[in-house]
Amino acid sequence: MNERTQTSGLGFVGQSVTRVEDDRLLRGKGQYVADIEPEGVLHAAFLRSPFAHATIRSIDVTAARRSPRVTAVFTAAELNELTNPFPPFLMMPGLYTPLYMCLSDKKVRHVGDPVALVLADSRYHAEDALELIEVDYEQLAPVASIADALSVNAEQVWERADGNVLLDKSDAYGDVESVFASADRIVTERFSCQRQSNQPMETRGSVIEVDPETGHLTIHNATQSSHMLRWLTAALAKKESVRSSLKNFATNKDRRDSFIVAAKEFMAQNGESMQNQDNAGPKSQLRKDRSMLRHLPRTLFGLLGKDDYPTVMARDIGGGFGAKGPVAREDIALAAAAIDLGRSVKWIEDRVENLSDGGHAREEDLTVSLALDNDGTFRGLKVDLVLDQGAYPAFPIGASMATQIMRVMFPGAYKFDAFHLRARTVATNKGKYVAYRGPWANETWARERIIDVAAKALGYTPTDLRLKNMFSDQDMPAAMITGPALDETMSTKKTLEHAMQVVDIDEFRDEQETARAEGRYLGLGFACYHEAAPGPPDYFDSISPGAGTLGTEYARTTIERDGSIVVYTSQMPHGQSHETTYAQIVADELGVGIADVKLVYGNTDRTPFSVMGTGGSRGGPLGGGSVKYSSREVRQQVIDAAAELLEASADDIDIMDGNIHVSGVPARGVSFADVAATVISEGDQPFDATFGYTGKGDGGWSCATHACIVEVDLETGRVDIPRYVVVEDCGPIINPAIVNGQVRGGVAQGVGAVLYESSVYDTEANLQATTYMDYLIPTAMEIPYVEVHHLETLSPGENDFRGVGEGGMIGAPPAITNAIEDALGPFGARVTDQYLPPTKILEMAGIIDPD
Amino acid sequence: MTVSFTLNVNGAATEVSTEPRRTLSDVIREDLGLTGTHLGCEHGVCGACTVLLDGAPVRSCLTLAVQADGHEITTVEGLANGDELHPVQQAMHEAHGFQCAFCSPGFMLSTVALLAENPNPSRHEIREELSGNLCRCTGYHTILDGVEVAIRALASDGASGGGDA
Ligand code: FES
Ligand code: FES
C-alpha cells in the first residue's frame, strides 16, 4: 500500500502499510542522540581500567586538569561524593545484589571499568586529556570464567558475596525424585553458551542540557526506558541528606501534593501486584549487605524532596535489543557532573567501549537431564544453570531475573510430571550482562538440544518425539508445570505440524543421503517454543512475586483544538515501527487516515509512566491495546459531542475518513475540529482519555517452529544455510511486513550467535573482541533468506495481538545447532556449545585436533 | 594548528577551518551540521558513515576532512530532490527496507554507487556489494528487496543509474 494517501474504511490493521517513520529517517533527518549538540556543550570521555581486577592505590589528574581545553576532570572519588549507589531492584530469595557507584574509586572489576571523567571543548581534546591521567593500580587475580568463579580459591569480585556466587536458588515442581527414579531412561548433557553482545548499530549516549536559569536537566538519551532513566537520575545523581530532603518535602506543598497524587495513582494500578511481593527477597539482600538500609532512605527521601526531576527526551534510537534498557553508570556520572558544573555535557560511547561494557549476554552453562520412558514419553526435566553476569549487575533488570524467566519457560510446549531447576548467578571480572532479545532464550536452546539428543538415543525422529510430548488443543485449558496457564494461543504443536508440511522431511533425507555419497554434508534441525507475549495474568508473578508491576502499559489519546489527533505512549520505540502500527490501530478506531495520527513518545514530560519502556514483546499486545482503548474512549467522547451538534442519537453517528456524520448522510458531516470547537474546555485537548492495559486475560502466547537446513563444508569448516523456515503464530497481525522484519532480524542475530559472534575473554579476563574485526557481525553474505509462514490462531475477546519481537532469536540457535549436529551425524558429533566457528566444526568432524 | 580549505558537499561549497586530524565524518556532522551521516564503529567496518567522494563510496570515519579538499561529497541529505525522495530512498520505503534506520545512510549511498556502476546487478551481486555495510535489525532481506525495487524504478524511468544523485 502506498503512503499517506490511504483512506480509512478498509481497516489498516492487518495490512503491510508503509512506515510513517521513513520519511524523516531516509532523508537523514532523524534525530539520534549524537545529533544533538547544545550550544557550549562539554564533551565527555571516561578513563577506563586497563586491568580486569585491581585495587586503585592512587590517581593523579593534575596534568589533565591543567590542559587548556579541559573544563573539568572528576575522579571516581569526587563523583561518588555527589551521588548515591545503584540500589538493588526486584530483590529475590537467594539473591545478593552488590551496590555500586557510577565510577570505581577503590577497586576496578573489569577491563573498561570507568575511573575518571574528563570534560573538554571537544571529544578529541577530552580523549587527549585521558592520556595525562596517572593511575596506580595493584592487580588482583582475575576471575575470568564460570569455573574460576566457582573455584573456592578465587579472588572475590564482591567482598560480601559467597565466594563469587550472587544467586543460588532451587525450585522443584512435582515429585522430582520419584519421577527420575521410575523413568526408563535419563539423558544428560552439559551445554555451554558463549558470551554474546546485543550490538545495536548505534552505541549508547547521553546529552544532558542544563537550563542556566533554573538548573533543570533535559536528558537526551538513547534509552529503551525513558521514565526509569528519569527517576533513577533524580534518585542518584544528586545526593542529599535525609534531613534536607524531608525539610524540603514538608515545606514545598506542590511537591508534596504531586507526590501524593502520583503515589495514589501508582498504588491504584499496581497495589495488588505489589502485595504479592514477599519479604524473602529483601531478607536475602540484608543478610549479605545491610548498607541498603543506609543508602535507600537517602535515595528515596532525596526523590521526595526534589523540586525538580529531569526531563528525559529520546527521539530516534538506532536499535537496542535490550542493551539500552538499563540505566548506565555513565548516565549517572554525566548527570552528576552536569549538575555540579551547571553546564551541558555530551557523551557518545565509542564502539570499543560498547563492545566492552555496552552489554553482554547469554554466557551460561546448563546441565540438563531429561527423564523419559522407552515409548518416548517425557517424564521429568532437571536443570543446573550457572550464569556469568560479569562484574556489575545491570539496573533495573539484572541477570538473575533472566534465570527466573528461564525457570518458568524451560519446560516449553511439552508435558512433564516433574521439573527441577537450580539457578546460580556468578560474578566475574567481565562486562555486565544485560537482557538480549529473548533474555531467557537458552532454555529453548538447551531443551531443544536435549530433545534431539534423546531422540537419537531412543531411535525416534526429532519431530516425532516432539509431537508425542507437546500440548495440543485437546489438552486445553492446561498449565505449564511451572505455573502459567495455557489456552488455545499455545499453538506450538500446530506450528511444528505446519513446518513439517513446508519442509518435506522425507525428500530432505533422500537428498542428504545422496549428498553424503558425494562428500557434502547436509543437516536439518527443528526448534519449537512459545513465549509470553504478553502471557497470561499470572505470568510475571510466576517469575518473581510482585513483578506484575512491570506489566502495565499506558496510552493517552487526545483530540486537539484544531482537530488533530495526538497519541501518547509509554512505549519507547527503537526500530520497531510503533509510529506506523499504532497509527494503524488508532486510524481504525477513529475512522481517520494514517497520516492524521501523531504519536508522541520518549518525552517524560508528555508521555505516561512505565517502568519498562519497550522490551519483552509487549509493544504490540499491551502498548497497542492501551492505544486502542484510549482511542476508543476518545471516539465515544467525540461521538457524544457530535451527537449534540448534529442533533442525532450517538448510536447513529459514524466516522469515516475523518468525516463525522449521521449514518448514511456523510454529505452533512462535520470534522474533528468542528466538534472540538463546540466543547468548552480550558485546555488544549477538548477530548482526552488515558488507558492502562495489562492484557486481555488468559493466553497471550506467541509460538513458532524454526526449521533450518545447513550444508557444512569440511574443507573450510564453513556452514551455509540454504533454507531457513519460520512458522510463527502471533495471532492476528497488525502489519505483516513489520512482523516479518522482526522475525528475520531475530533470526539474523541467532545466525550470528551460532556461527560468528563471541565476546571472548582470555584467562586473564582481557576481552579479545574489542572491534568489529574480532566481533563479527554477520553481513548480507552470511544471512540466509528466511521464509516466514504465518498461522493466526485466534482466541476469544478483543485485542488478540501477540508480540513477536524476541522469537526469531529464541528459535534460531537451537534450529541451527540441531541442523549442524544432524549434518555431522556420520562423525558421531555432539553439539554442546552454542558457538560453532569453523575450527569447532572441523574438530567435531574429527578433521582437526581440539588442541 | 588548523588548516583551512573548501568542502563541496551536496553541491554547496563551505569554507572549513579545522585541526588536520579531524575526520571527514566529524566535520560533516559537527561543522556542517549534516547529521544524516552516522557513526557506528569509527573503525571502518560498519559502513554507516559511507559518503560518496566523486561518486565512489568512502568511509568518512577513516577519511580525514582535508583529504576531501577538491572533491565532490554526497551525503544522504543530498539524495532527495526537495520533497521528492531519490529512487533509492523511495524504493527502501516501499520495501520496508529499514527498522531503526541507523545504518540506512550507508546502505543507500553504497546502493547509489553500485547502481551507477552496474544498473542491473543480480541478487548475489547486490549481497556481495553491500556486504561492507552492517545492519543489526533487518537480517538484510528487505534492504536487498529495496535495491531490486530501485533497479526496476530506475530502469522504467529510463535513468541509467543514480550516480551523482
Ligand atoms: S563508522 Fe565508519 S565504518 Fe563504521
Ligand atoms: S535498520 Fe537498524 S541497523 Fe539497520
Side-chain angles (χ1 to χ4, degrees):
Chain A
M1 287 187 79
N2 227 337
E3 291 247 23
R4 282 124 190 277
T5 50
Q6 291 140 337
T7 55
S8 68
L10 299 168
F12 293 110
V13 168
Q15 308 204 40
S16 290
V17 170
T18 54
R19 298 203 322 159
V20 173
E21 292 86 347
D22 277 350
D23 194 66
R24 68 168 186 280
L25 296 177
L26 295 176
R27 286 173 189 274
K29 302 281 191 223
Q31 199 177 41
Y32 299 85
V33 62
D35 304 342
I36 293 160
E37 186 87 3
E39 194 59 36
V41 71
L42 298 173
H43 293 263
F46 289 93
L47 183 70
R48 296 178 182 276
S49 167
F51 301 115
H53 204 185
T55 50
I56 299 176
R57 284 213 205 93
S58 65
I59 177 162
D60 181 356
V61 296
T62 18
R65 275 201 179 121
R66 247 188 255 129
S67 165
R69 316 299 286 266
V70 168
T71 306
V73 180
F74 291 92
T75 64
E78 288 164 345
L79 267 190
N80 293 348
E81 268 305 299
L82 305 174
T83 57
N84 287 316
F86 281 72
F89 189 82
L90 291 175
M91 292 171 263
M92 61 175 88
L95 172 66
Y96 158 55
T97 304
L99 277 65
Y100 57 98
M101 304 301 295
C102 64
L103 301 183
S104 298
D105 56 357
K106 297 190 183 65
K107 174 169 163 166
V108 288
R109 294 185 174 83
H110 65 90
V111 173
D113 199 344
V115 300
L117 166 62
V118 173
L119 293 152
D121 63 350
S122 77
R123 186 167 139 200
Y124 288 78
H125 295 136
E127 286 180 9
D128 289 346
L130 293 182
E131 310 206 346
L132 303 174
I133 300 175
E134 300 278 344
V135 188
D136 185 8
Y137 293 100
E138 178 169 348
Q139 288 196 64
L140 302 168
V143 182
S145 62
I146 288 175
D148 281 2
L150 292 176
S151 129
V152 284
N153 300 322
E155 193 78 50
Q156 288 196 203
V157 178
W158 297 100
E159 293 70 13
R160 291 167 197 266
D162 281 330
N164 285 303
V165 177
L166 300 178
L167 170 77
D168 191 346
K169 184 172 183 291
S170 292
D171 293 271
Y173 302 86
D175 188 344
V176 180
E177 244 163 72
S178 77
V179 165
F180 271 76
S182 63
D184 293 338
R185 304 278 291 255
I186 296 169
V187 179
T188 299
E189 194 55 79
R190 181 168 176 274
F191 300 108
S192 172
C193 183
Q194 87 280 18
R195 192 161 264 253
Q196 302 163 15
S197 181
N198 314 44
Q199 291 303 304
M201 280 297 109
E202 177 200 42
T203 57
R204 299 176 299 161
S206 196
V207 177
I208 305 183
E209 270 187 276
V210 183
D211 185 316
E213 302 291 312
T214 61
H216 179 74
L217 301 188
T218 301
I219 304 175
H220 307 268
N221 192 290
T223 176
Q224 291 175 225
S225 182
S226 48
H227 285 276
M228 184 47 101
L229 176 61
R230 174 181 196 234
W231 280 77
L232 205 70
T233 306
L236 303 190
K238 188 160 182 268
K239 184 154 88 180
E240 285 184 58
S241 72
V242 171
R243 178 200 292 258
S244 85
S245 301
L246 281 176
K247 195 169 143 217
N248 202 6
F249 188 63
T251 52
N252 186 333
K253 184 164 179 315
D254 286 351
R255 172 83 243 131
R256 200 167 59 237
D257 291 351
S258 65
F259 170 76
I260 291 167
V261 169
K264 274 195 187 141
E265 208 170 283
F266 184 81
M267 287 313 291
Q269 267 139 7
N270 298 302
E272 205 178 312
S273 96
M274 303 264 298
Q275 272 164 20
N276 292 336
Q277 263 170 26
D278 50 27
N279 288 329
K283 274 193 193 143
S284 286
Q285 177 70 20
L286 288 173
R287 257 199 303 277
K288 291 279 174 240
D289 182 355
R290 303 185 70 75
S291 72
M292 102 181 176
L293 295 178
R294 179 156 44 89
H295 295 299
L296 273 189
R298 199 165 53 206
T299 307
L300 296 175
F301 285 115
L303 266 186
L304 299 191
K306 276 216 173 59
D307 292 340
D308 186 29
Y309 294 160
T311 301
V312 172
M313 302 257 254
R315 192 148 169 72
D316 294 313
I317 296 183
F321 316 109
K324 292 171 180 168
V327 176
R329 297 170 73 197
E330 290 88 346
D331 290 332
I332 300 303
L334 293 162
I339 295 169
D340 190 59
L341 298 171
R343 295 278 304 269
S344 300
V345 304
K346 174 170 182 171
W347 172 65
I348 302 301
E349 181 181 48
D350 71 27
R351 186 56 66 182
V352 177
E353 290 176 297
N354 185 265
L355 281 158
S356 316
D357 200 29
H360 291 161
R362 302 254 198 275
E363 186 169 11
E364 285 138 26
D365 279 354
L366 306 106
T367 304
V368 185
S369 298
L370 172 61
L372 67 178
D373 287 339
N374 285 334
D375 70 355
T377 307
F378 291 174
R379 302 287 312 284
L381 192 61
K382 252 197 248 180
V383 182
D384 187 346
L385 159 70
V386 188
L387 179 155
D388 178 347
Q389 72 136 44
Y392 297 91
F395 185 96
I397 311 239
S400 296
M401 186 57 92
T403 67
Q404 298 309 299
I405 310 178
M406 288 167 87
R407 166 175 54 78
V408 174
M409 295 310 296
F410 224 113
Y414 308 95
K415 291 177 258 185
F416 289 98
D417 299 329
F419 172 61
H420 178 273
L421 179 132
R422 179 185 187 192
R424 279 174 290 176
T425 302
V426 298
T428 59
N429 293 119
K430 303 186 197 170
K432 71 173 170 299
Y433 181 109
V434 299
Y436 177 22
R437 201 171 203 167
W440 58 92
N442 274 339
E443 50 73 39
T444 292
W445 177 59
R447 179 190 66 240
E448 296 297 303
R449 276 279 45 245
I450 196 83
I451 292 175
D452 270 26
V453 172
K456 194 172 277 170
L458 267 71
Y460 275 91
T461 69
T463 43
D464 283 348
L465 192 57
R466 285 179 169 81
L467 288 171
K468 183 175 173 62
N469 288 285
M470 277 178 166
F471 284 104
S472 66
D473 269 352
Q474 291 76 47
D475 300 311
M476 300 304 161
M480 294 179 71
I481 188 168
T482 47
L486 300 172
D487 68 357
E488 62 266 60
T489 65
M490 218 299 258
S491 62
T492 308
K493 188 172 190 178
K494 283 195 268 182
T495 64
L496 174 56
E497 286 162 348
H498 193 91
M500 291 168 68
Q501 287 164 16
V502 175
V503 179
D504 186 329
I505 300 177
D506 292 337
E507 192 184 290
F508 171 79
R509 293 292 169 211
D510 289 344
E511 211 183 310
Q512 183 180 40
E513 209 176 292
T514 320
R516 273 180 192 165
E518 298 163 3
R520 293 191 303 121
Y521 294 88
L522 301 180
L524 169 62
F526 285 86
C528 307
Y529 64 88
H530 69 301
E531 60 163 316
D538 56 353
Y539 176 68
F540 274 108
D541 281 334
S542 62
I543 295 166
S544 181
T549 35
L550 298 175
T552 313
E553 279 294 327
Y554 298 92
R556 174 180 175 213
T557 301
T558 63
I559 313 284
E560 314 270 318
R561 280 260 160 240
D562 65 359
S564 57
I565 297 158
V566 185
V567 180
Y568 303 80
T569 174
S570 53
Q571 282 276 302
M572 193 48 253
H574 47 287
Q576 300 87 346
S577 320
H578 290 65
E579 286 171 77
T580 307
T581 48
Y582 287 5
Q584 290 177 262
I585 293 170
V586 175
D588 279 359
E589 283 297 325
L590 292 179
V592 298
I594 299 273
D596 299 323
V597 181
K598 179 174 156 43
L599 186 72
V600 174
Y601 59 85
N603 177 340
T604 54
D605 287 351
R606 301 179 70 196
T607 57
F609 177 80
S610 137
V611 176
M612 272 243 291
T614 290
S617 293
R618 299 162 342 125
L622 296 185
S626 65
V627 159
K628 182 189 188 82
Y629 293 118
S630 61
S631 298
R632 187 167 294 177
E633 274 186 47
V634 156
R635 178 190 173 96
Q636 197 54 51
Q637 293 172 9
V638 169
I639 284 183
D640 289 344
E644 266 181 50
L645 185 66
L646 297 169
E647 296 174 346
S649 151
D651 293 343
D652 295 333
I653 304 284
D654 208 355
I655 313 179
M656 187 75 108
D657 296 332
N659 178 331
I660 306 161
H661 56 271
V662 178
S663 279
V665 267
R668 293 192 37 230
V670 293
S671 69
F672 279 89
D674 295 334
V675 184
T678 67
V679 177
I680 322 240
S681 95
E682 306 259 303
D684 288 337
Q685 289 94 18
F687 305 108
D688 190 341
T690 298
F691 200 92
Y693 185 64
T694 47
K696 77 178 185 70
D698 279 346
W701 300 106
S702 199
C703 306
T705 292
H706 290 212
C708 172
I709 294 176
V710 296
E711 175 161 357
V712 179
D713 178 353
L714 292 185
E715 292 284 311
T716 60
R718 188 187 150 86
V719 176
D720 269 325
I721 304 179
R723 189 159 187 214
Y724 199 104
V725 172
V726 175
V727 178
E728 71 80 37
D729 184 355
C730 65
I733 293 177
I734 302 172
N735 186 318
I738 288 170
V739 166
N740 289 346
Q742 288 292 319
V743 171
R744 294 196 172 113
V747 170
Q749 285 178 313
V751 171
V754 175
L755 300 176
Y756 303 102
E757 301 179 32
S758 175
S759 291
V760 61
Y761 282 80
D762 69 11
T763 52
E764 300 295 305
N766 290 307
L767 181 60
Q768 302 298 292
T770 57
T771 72
Y772 279 163
M773 311 293 240
D774 303 303
Y775 193 91
L776 303 178
I777 306 276
T779 74
M781 290 301 283
E782 286 84 42
I783 301 302
Y785 171 61
V786 177
E787 279 172 57
V788 187
H789 302 260
H790 302 286
L791 303 182
E792 296 190 50
T793 298
L794 304 180
S795 73
E798 247 204 310
N799 202 60
D800 201 16
F801 309 126
R802 281 153 247 152
V804 75
E806 330 266 327
M809 173 112 218
I810 298 173
I816 300 167
T817 51
N818 284 349
I820 291 173
E821 183 170 291
D822 183 46
L824 298 180
F827 308 95
R830 170 70 49 87
V831 172
T832 57
D833 289 347
Q834 184 164 116
Y835 180 49
L836 304 174
T839 45
K840 183 75 197 179
I841 297 283
L842 297 177
E843 275 170 26
M844 287 192 300
I847 291 170
I848 60 173
D849 216 313
D851 314 304
Chain B
M1 186 182 88
T2 61
V3 289
S4 299
F5 55 95
T6 308
L7 217 48
N8 288 305
V9 180
N10 303 329
T14 313
E15 276 302 308
V16 294
S17 174
T18 176
E19 281 183 62
R21 64 171 168 168
R22 287 180 71 226
T23 61
L24 180 58
S25 55
D26 283 346
V27 170
I28 289 174
R29 289 177 48 82
E30 293 164 15
D31 301 18
L32 273 54
L34 295 173
T35 54
T37 299
H38 294 160
L39 292 169
C41 70
E42 297 176 275
H43 54 253
V45 180
C46 77
C49 67
T50 303
V51 300
L52 302 184
L53 189 97
D54 299 331
V58 298
R59 316 237 141 177
S60 62
C61 74
L62 293 186
T63 308
L64 294 176
V66 287
Q67 293 176 284
D69 187 2
H71 298 279
E72 290 287 339
I73 309 288
T74 308
T75 70
V76 65
E77 289 92 341
L79 290 180
N81 183 0
D83 273 355
E84 200 186 325
L85 293 176
H86 184 280
V88 170
Q89 290 170 314
Q90 180 62 31
M92 289 299 174
H93 174 63
E94 283 166 23
H96 274 258
F98 300 104
Q99 294 178 24
C100 81
F102 195 79
C103 64
S104 66
F107 272 101
M108 291 192 294
L109 289 159
S110 299
T111 302
V112 168
L114 162 66
L115 299 186
E117 201 146 280
N118 176 3
N120 199 14
S122 67
R123 185 88 172 184
H124 185 78
E125 286 169 329
I126 301 169
R127 285 174 77 184
E128 218 159 36
E129 286 298 324
L130 294 186
S131 67
N133 290 79
L134 300 180
C135 173
R136 192 57 160 168
C137 298
T138 62
Y140 300 102
H141 178 65
T142 50
I143 301 176
L144 304 176
D145 283 352
V147 178
E148 288 179 349
V149 173
I151 292 169
R152 286 195 295 274
L154 288 165
S156 67
D157 280 359
S160 61
D164 42 25

